[in-house]
Amino acid sequence: NAGVTQTPKFRILKIGQSMTLQCAQDMNHNYMYWYRQDPGMGLKLIYYSVGAGITDKGEVPNGYNVSRSTTEDFPLRLELAAPSQTSVYFCASSDPSAGSYEQYFGPGTRLTVT
Amino acid sequence: KQEVTQIPAALSVPEGENLVLNCSFTDSAIYNLQWFRQDPGKGLTSLLLIQSSQREQTSGRLNASLDKSSGRSTLYIAASQPGDSATYLCAVYGSGNTGKLIFGQGTTLQVKP
């Protein structure tokens, strides 16, 4: 299994541009999450999904959108990028049927908005 | 609202020392607690997950404890090595059924040879 994969690894955006961060998992996990990590800080939850077609906001959802059309994929969309969205973005997945909700993380996407 | 705090923010120790990293949380109604390691510019590596019914978990030189009633967890690292240098993150799973994680800010550890 590849686990949780994220693309791209790095990206530089200009203010006002849009982009989609891709996340995929091959573990058949129903739950998926997007976090952002600012320098010197812990991770903060942006959006999460408990299954295909179901998404909900986390702690810092403003400026982002998500969709979940399949179990495997959970893309994060940035509209009208702003410097405040410069961060490292992590995607994660978990299998609640395993009983622990333990999350498995992707390698991250480092985004700079200038 | 659940808040997770890690103290100290940074720690520097000589090689071979035993050390303790602290994590506290404000709401004791947590589901599980997990410790992660993060190397500079890298992703998260899971170290230990403690389920709410457990008091501690061990893996090699690492031992994590959980005291829900006091809102505390500790990560004990025995016989520290320079390769242990990294940022250690504590995160709690909320008591709902969404599996959302709430992270502390991390403790950056430097082990000097």
Short mmCIF file of all heavy atoms in Angstrom, two decimals, chain B residues 30-66:
data_model
loop_
_atom_site.label_atom_id
_atom_site.label_comp_id
_atom_site.label_asym_id
_atom_site.label_seq_id
_atom_site.Cartn_x
_atom_site.Cartn_y
_atom_site.Cartn_z
N ILE B 30 -11.51 12.95 26.51
CA ILE B 30 -10.86 12.64 25.24
C ILE B 30 -11.08 11.18 24.90
O ILE B 30 -11.39 10.36 25.77
CB ILE B 30 -9.34 12.94 25.29
CG1 ILE B 30 -8.64 12.01 26.29
CG2 ILE B 30 -9.09 14.40 25.62
CD1 ILE B 30 -7.14 12.07 26.20
N TYR B 31 -10.89 10.88 23.63
CA TYR B 31 -11.04 9.50 23.19
C TYR B 31 -9.71 8.77 23.26
O TYR B 31 -9.57 7.75 23.93
CB TYR B 31 -11.60 9.50 21.77
CG TYR B 31 -12.04 8.16 21.27
CD1 TYR B 31 -13.10 7.49 21.87
CD2 TYR B 31 -11.40 7.56 20.20
CE1 TYR B 31 -13.49 6.25 21.42
CE2 TYR B 31 -11.79 6.33 19.74
CZ TYR B 31 -12.84 5.67 20.35
OH TYR B 31 -13.23 4.44 19.90
N ASN B 32 -8.71 9.29 22.57
CA ASN B 32 -7.36 8.74 22.59
C ASN B 32 -6.36 9.89 22.58
O ASN B 32 -6.73 11.05 22.36
CB ASN B 32 -7.10 7.85 21.36
CG ASN B 32 -7.99 6.63 21.33
OD1 ASN B 32 -8.33 6.08 22.37
ND2 ASN B 32 -8.35 6.20 20.14
N LEU B 33 -5.09 9.56 22.76
CA LEU B 33 -4.02 10.55 22.68
C LEU B 33 -2.87 9.95 21.89
O LEU B 33 -2.56 8.75 22.05
CB LEU B 33 -3.56 10.97 24.08
CG LEU B 33 -2.50 12.07 24.16
CD1 LEU B 33 -2.78 12.97 25.35
CD2 LEU B 33 -1.10 11.52 24.20
N GLN B 34 -2.25 10.75 21.06
CA GLN B 34 -1.19 10.24 20.20
C GLN B 34 0.01 11.17 20.24
O GLN B 34 -0.14 12.40 20.25
CB GLN B 34 -1.71 10.11 18.76
CG GLN B 34 -0.84 9.30 17.83
CD GLN B 34 -1.56 8.88 16.56
OE1 GLN B 34 -2.73 9.20 16.36
NE2 GLN B 34 -0.89 8.15 15.69
N TRP B 35 1.19 10.57 20.27
CA TRP B 35 2.45 11.32 20.17
C TRP B 35 3.05 11.09 18.79
O TRP B 35 3.09 9.95 18.31
CB TRP B 35 3.44 10.85 21.25
CG TRP B 35 3.15 11.37 22.62
CD1 TRP B 35 2.40 10.78 23.59
CD2 TRP B 35 3.63 12.60 23.18
NE1 TRP B 35 2.37 11.56 24.72
CE2 TRP B 35 3.13 12.68 24.50
CE3 TRP B 35 4.44 13.64 22.71
CZ2 TRP B 35 3.40 13.75 25.34
CZ3 TRP B 35 4.71 14.71 23.55
CH2 TRP B 35 4.20 14.76 24.84
N PHE B 36 3.53 12.21 18.20
CA PHE B 36 4.16 12.16 16.89
C PHE B 36 5.56 12.75 16.98
O PHE B 36 5.85 13.58 17.83
CB PHE B 36 3.38 13.00 15.87
CG PHE B 36 1.99 12.52 15.56
CD1 PHE B 36 0.91 12.91 16.34
CD2 PHE B 36 1.76 11.67 14.49
CE1 PHE B 36 -0.37 12.49 16.04
CE2 PHE B 36 0.48 11.24 14.18
CZ PHE B 36 -0.58 11.65 14.97
N ARG B 37 6.38 12.35 16.01
CA ARG B 37 7.68 12.96 15.81
C ARG B 37 7.68 13.63 14.45
O ARG B 37 7.14 13.09 13.48
CB ARG B 37 8.77 11.88 15.86
CG ARG B 37 10.13 12.35 15.44
CD ARG B 37 11.13 11.25 15.38
NE ARG B 37 12.36 11.74 14.77
CZ ARG B 37 13.57 11.46 15.21
NH1 ARG B 37 13.73 10.65 16.25
NH2 ARG B 37 14.64 11.95 14.62
N GLN B 38 8.30 14.82 14.39
CA GLN B 38 8.41 15.52 13.12
C GLN B 38 9.84 16.03 12.95
O GLN B 38 10.31 16.84 13.74
CB GLN B 38 7.41 16.68 13.03
CG GLN B 38 7.38 17.35 11.67
CD GLN B 38 6.32 18.42 11.54
OE1 GLN B 38 5.97 19.09 12.50
NE2 GLN B 38 5.76 18.58 10.34
N ASP B 39 10.52 15.56 11.92
CA ASP B 39 11.84 16.06 11.60
C ASP B 39 11.70 17.32 10.75
O ASP B 39 10.69 17.51 10.06
CB ASP B 39 12.64 14.98 10.87
CG ASP B 39 12.95 13.81 11.78
OD1 ASP B 39 13.73 14.01 12.73
OD2 ASP B 39 12.38 12.72 11.58
N PRO B 40 12.71 18.20 10.78
CA PRO B 40 12.60 19.49 10.06
C PRO B 40 12.22 19.32 8.59
O PRO B 40 12.85 18.55 7.86
CB PRO B 40 14.00 20.08 10.22
CG PRO B 40 14.52 19.49 11.49
CD PRO B 40 13.98 18.09 11.52
N GLY B 41 11.18 20.01 8.18
CA GLY B 41 10.75 19.97 6.78
C GLY B 41 10.10 18.67 6.36
O GLY B 41 9.88 18.46 5.16
N LYS B 42 9.78 17.82 7.32
CA LYS B 42 9.22 16.50 7.00
C LYS B 42 7.81 16.36 7.53
O LYS B 42 7.27 17.25 8.19
CB LYS B 42 10.10 15.40 7.60
CG LYS B 42 11.54 15.43 7.13
CD LYS B 42 11.68 15.15 5.67
CE LYS B 42 13.13 15.06 5.24
NZ LYS B 42 13.28 14.85 3.78
N GLY B 43 7.21 15.20 7.25
CA GLY B 43 5.87 14.91 7.73
C GLY B 43 5.89 14.36 9.14
O GLY B 43 6.89 14.43 9.85
N LEU B 44 4.75 13.80 9.55
CA LEU B 44 4.59 13.29 10.91
C LEU B 44 4.80 11.78 10.95
O LEU B 44 4.27 11.05 10.11
CB LEU B 44 3.18 13.59 11.43
CG LEU B 44 2.95 14.98 12.00
CD1 LEU B 44 3.01 16.04 10.93
CD2 LEU B 44 1.62 15.03 12.72
N THR B 45 5.54 11.34 11.95
CA THR B 45 5.71 9.92 12.21
C THR B 45 5.03 9.59 13.53
O THR B 45 5.34 10.20 14.56
CB THR B 45 7.21 9.57 12.30
OG1 THR B 45 7.85 9.90 11.07
CG2 THR B 45 7.40 8.09 12.59
N SER B 46 4.10 8.66 13.49
CA SER B 46 3.42 8.28 14.72
C SER B 46 4.37 7.50 15.62
O SER B 46 5.05 6.57 15.17
CB SER B 46 2.19 7.42 14.39
OG SER B 46 1.57 6.98 15.57
N LEU B 47 4.42 7.88 16.89
CA LEU B 47 5.27 7.19 17.86
C LEU B 47 4.45 6.23 18.72
O LEU B 47 4.74 5.05 18.80
CB LEU B 47 5.98 8.21 18.76
CG LEU B 47 6.96 9.15 18.07
CD1 LEU B 47 7.46 10.19 19.05
CD2 LEU B 47 8.11 8.38 17.46
N LEU B 48 3.45 6.77 19.37
CA LEU B 48 2.64 5.97 20.29
C LEU B 48 1.22 6.51 20.30
O LEU B 48 1.01 7.72 20.26
CB LEU B 48 3.20 6.04 21.72
CG LEU B 48 4.54 5.36 21.96
CD1 LEU B 48 5.15 5.83 23.27
CD2 LEU B 48 4.36 3.85 21.98
N LEU B 49 0.25 5.61 20.35
CA LEU B 49 -1.15 5.98 20.53
C LEU B 49 -1.64 5.31 21.80
O LEU B 49 -1.47 4.10 21.97
CB LEU B 49 -2.00 5.55 19.34
CG LEU B 49 -3.48 5.91 19.41
CD1 LEU B 49 -4.01 6.29 18.03
CD2 LEU B 49 -4.33 4.80 20.01
N ILE B 50 -2.22 6.12 22.70
CA ILE B 50 -2.75 5.60 23.95
C ILE B 50 -4.27 5.69 23.89
O ILE B 50 -4.82 6.79 23.73
CB ILE B 50 -2.25 6.39 25.17
CG1 ILE B 50 -0.74 6.53 25.15
CG2 ILE B 50 -2.70 5.71 26.46
CD1 ILE B 50 -0.22 7.39 26.30
N GLN B 51 -4.94 4.58 23.99
CA GLN B 51 -6.39 4.60 23.99
C GLN B 51 -6.88 5.06 25.36
O GLN B 51 -6.17 4.96 26.36
CB GLN B 51 -6.94 3.22 23.64
CG GLN B 51 -6.45 2.76 22.27
CD GLN B 51 -7.35 1.72 21.63
OE1 GLN B 51 -8.50 1.57 22.00
NE2 GLN B 51 -6.82 1.02 20.65
N SER B 52 -8.10 5.57 25.39
CA SER B 52 -8.60 6.23 26.60
C SER B 52 -8.67 5.28 27.79
O SER B 52 -8.60 5.71 28.95
CB SER B 52 -9.98 6.82 26.35
OG SER B 52 -10.89 5.82 25.98
N SER B 53 -8.76 3.98 27.52
CA SER B 53 -8.84 3.00 28.61
C SER B 53 -7.46 2.59 29.12
O SER B 53 -7.36 1.84 30.10
CB SER B 53 -9.60 1.76 28.14
OG SER B 53 -8.94 1.20 27.03
N GLN B 54 -6.40 3.05 28.45
CA GLN B 54 -5.05 2.67 28.81
C GLN B 54 -4.38 3.75 29.65
O GLN B 54 -4.75 4.93 29.57
CB GLN B 54 -4.22 2.41 27.54
CG GLN B 54 -4.76 1.27 26.70
CD GLN B 54 -4.03 1.14 25.37
OE1 GLN B 54 -3.66 2.15 24.76
NE2 GLN B 54 -3.81 -0.08 24.94
N ARG B 55 -3.37 3.36 30.40
CA ARG B 55 -2.61 4.31 31.21
C ARG B 55 -1.26 4.63 30.56
O ARG B 55 -0.70 5.69 30.81
CB ARG B 55 -2.38 3.74 32.59
CG ARG B 55 -3.64 3.49 33.38
CD ARG B 55 -4.17 4.75 33.98
NE ARG B 55 -3.29 5.32 34.98
CZ ARG B 55 -3.60 6.38 35.72
NH1 ARG B 55 -4.75 6.98 35.56
NH2 ARG B 55 -2.75 6.85 36.61
N GLU B 56 -0.73 3.68 29.80
CA GLU B 56 0.56 3.93 29.18
C GLU B 56 0.78 2.99 27.99
O GLU B 56 0.10 1.97 27.84
CB GLU B 56 1.71 3.77 30.18
CG GLU B 56 1.87 2.39 30.74
CD GLU B 56 3.06 2.31 31.70
OE1 GLU B 56 3.93 3.22 31.65
OE2 GLU B 56 3.13 1.38 32.49
N GLN B 57 1.75 3.39 27.16
CA GLN B 57 2.19 2.59 26.04
C GLN B 57 3.70 2.71 25.94
O GLN B 57 4.27 3.76 26.24
CB GLN B 57 1.55 3.08 24.73
CG GLN B 57 0.15 2.62 24.47
CD GLN B 57 0.08 1.20 23.96
OE1 GLN B 57 1.10 0.54 23.78
NE2 GLN B 57 -1.13 0.71 23.76
N THR B 58 4.32 1.62 25.51
CA THR B 58 5.78 1.60 25.40
C THR B 58 6.19 1.11 24.02
O THR B 58 5.56 0.20 23.46
CB THR B 58 6.39 0.68 26.47
OG1 THR B 58 6.05 1.20 27.76
CG2 THR B 58 7.89 0.60 26.34
N SER B 59 7.26 1.75 23.50
CA SER B 59 7.86 1.28 22.26
C SER B 59 9.34 1.57 22.33
O SER B 59 9.78 2.72 22.29
CB SER B 59 7.25 2.00 21.05
OG SER B 59 7.90 1.63 19.85
N GLY B 60 10.13 0.52 22.51
CA GLY B 60 11.58 0.69 22.61
C GLY B 60 11.96 1.59 23.77
O GLY B 60 11.59 1.33 24.92
N ARG B 61 12.68 2.68 23.48
CA ARG B 61 13.11 3.61 24.54
C ARG B 61 12.04 4.65 24.89
O ARG B 61 12.29 5.54 25.71
CB ARG B 61 14.39 4.33 24.07
CG ARG B 61 15.61 3.42 23.93
CD ARG B 61 16.86 4.21 23.52
NE ARG B 61 16.74 4.79 22.18
CZ ARG B 61 16.58 6.07 21.93
NH1 ARG B 61 16.54 6.95 22.93
NH2 ARG B 61 16.50 6.51 20.68
N LEU B 62 10.89 4.55 24.28
CA LEU B 62 9.82 5.52 24.50
C LEU B 62 8.72 4.92 25.38
O LEU B 62 8.34 3.76 25.21
CB LEU B 62 9.19 5.95 23.18
CG LEU B 62 10.11 6.51 22.11
CD1 LEU B 62 9.31 6.86 20.87
CD2 LEU B 62 10.88 7.71 22.61
N ASN B 63 8.25 5.75 26.32
CA ASN B 63 7.11 5.37 27.13
C ASN B 63 6.19 6.57 27.27
O ASN B 63 6.64 7.66 27.66
CB ASN B 63 7.57 4.89 28.52
CG ASN B 63 6.40 4.59 29.44
OD1 ASN B 63 5.84 5.48 30.07
ND2 ASN B 63 6.01 3.32 29.49
N ALA B 64 4.93 6.41 26.91
CA ALA B 64 3.97 7.49 27.04
C ALA B 64 2.93 7.09 28.08
O ALA B 64 2.46 5.96 28.09
CB ALA B 64 3.29 7.77 25.70
N SER B 65 2.59 8.05 28.93
CA SER B 65 1.57 7.82 29.95
C SER B 65 0.41 8.77 29.72
O SER B 65 0.56 9.82 29.09
CB SER B 65 2.16 8.03 31.35
OG SER B 65 2.46 9.41 31.52
N LEU B 66 -0.74 8.37 30.25
CA LEU B 66 -1.94 9.19 30.12
C LEU B 66 -2.69 9.20 31.44
O LEU B 66 -2.98 8.14 32.01
CB LEU B 66 -2.86 8.63 29.03
CG LEU B 66 -4.22 9.29 28.86
CD1 LEU B 66 -4.07 10.75 28.47
CD2 LEU B 66 -5.07 8.54 27.84
#
